[in-house]
Amino acid sequence: LLADHPDTSILLLDHNKGKVVDWANVILGDADIKEQCPNVYGMGVHWYDGDHFDALQEVHSSYPDFKLLATESTVKRDPLHNLDGGKWENGEQYGHDMIGDFNNWVTGFIDWNLALDSHGGPLHINVVDLDHFGADSMTICNFEEGESADVTCIKQVFYYYVAHFS
């Protein structure tokens, strides 16, 4: 990869923030690995195991040139509220995590889904009950089949929370 694509940047981990310190130390704390992988840009982190803002700060303090990027977040689909704009606590969760991340050296934020259907799909797995497995998204769209199909999209509360950071 390095020989063919020397300008390609690589993000490590792409998992929960609770593991960020351990993996940063394994990769960046080893001079041989660091020398063999000069195109390692940073680490992708998720919020699913808690805030861990202190861990983000610790990684930055130990490796200040190493970038942190929030690469995934979502909330569980709420079939009772997703067609009326969602719940405020979902927006508050996004706002809380984004502020905490940005205050602890995270350089950007990527949401899991920008638009989903009213069942929280499509999903990458084949399930019969989408309502149980589906995620929520900033925009819920009802898709109708056919050439003259109408698409109705409803912005969720956390759409507006994230807009404040854009």
Side-chain angles (χ1 to χ4, degrees):
L1 177 67
L2 184 59
D4 293 337
H5 305 282
D7 296 328
T8 299
S9 297
I10 296 174
L11 287 174
L12 303 173
L13 187 66
D14 198 31
H15 199 21
N16 293 324
K17 288 185 259 185
K19 299 185 181 301
V20 70
V21 172
D22 293 338
W23 281 106
N25 288 334
V26 165
I27 302 295
L28 301 175
D30 186 319
D32 291 335
I33 293 175
K34 194 173 177 181
E35 183 180 328
Q36 293 173 22
C37 303
N39 51 350
V40 170
Y41 168 82
M43 188 171 288
V45 296
H46 305 173
W47 71 4
Y48 303 117
D49 69 343
D51 293 337
H52 299 287
F53 301 137
D54 56 333
L56 301 172
Q57 177 63 52
E58 184 177 340
V59 169
H60 175 75
S61 295
S62 298
Y63 311 102
D65 295 330
F66 189 64
K67 306 300 182 210
L68 296 165
L69 177 65
T71 56
E72 180 184 319
S73 60
T74 192
V75 291
K76 183 163 176 33
R77 192 182 85 75
D78 181 3
L80 299 177
H81 295 94
N82 73 343
L83 296 179
D84 65 5
K87 296 189 297 187
W88 283 102
E89 50 264 26
N90 290 348
E92 292 165 358
Q93 181 179 354
Y94 272 77
H96 169 82
D97 199 72
M98 291 174 78
I99 290 169
D101 281 357
F102 294 148
N103 283 336
N104 289 282
W105 306 100
V106 170
T107 59
F109 180 88
I110 301 170
D111 192 29
W112 179 260
N113 301 295
L114 293 178
L116 292 173
D117 67 19
S118 60
H119 298 287
L123 295 173
H124 57 85
I125 56 175
N126 184 13
V127 294
V128 174
D129 184 10
L130 282 177
D131 286 338
H132 177 72
F133 291 98
D136 210 342
S137 70
M138 291 188 203
T139 309
I140 301 294
C141 297
N142 289 324
F143 300 97
E144 296 178 17
E145 294 185 28
E147 286 185 31
S148 62
D150 290 329
V151 177
T152 304
C153 294
I154 300 163
K155 294 176 184 166
Q156 300 280 43
V157 170
F158 53 103
Y159 171 91
Y160 298 101
Y161 265 84
V162 174
H164 287 285
F165 296 92
S166 298

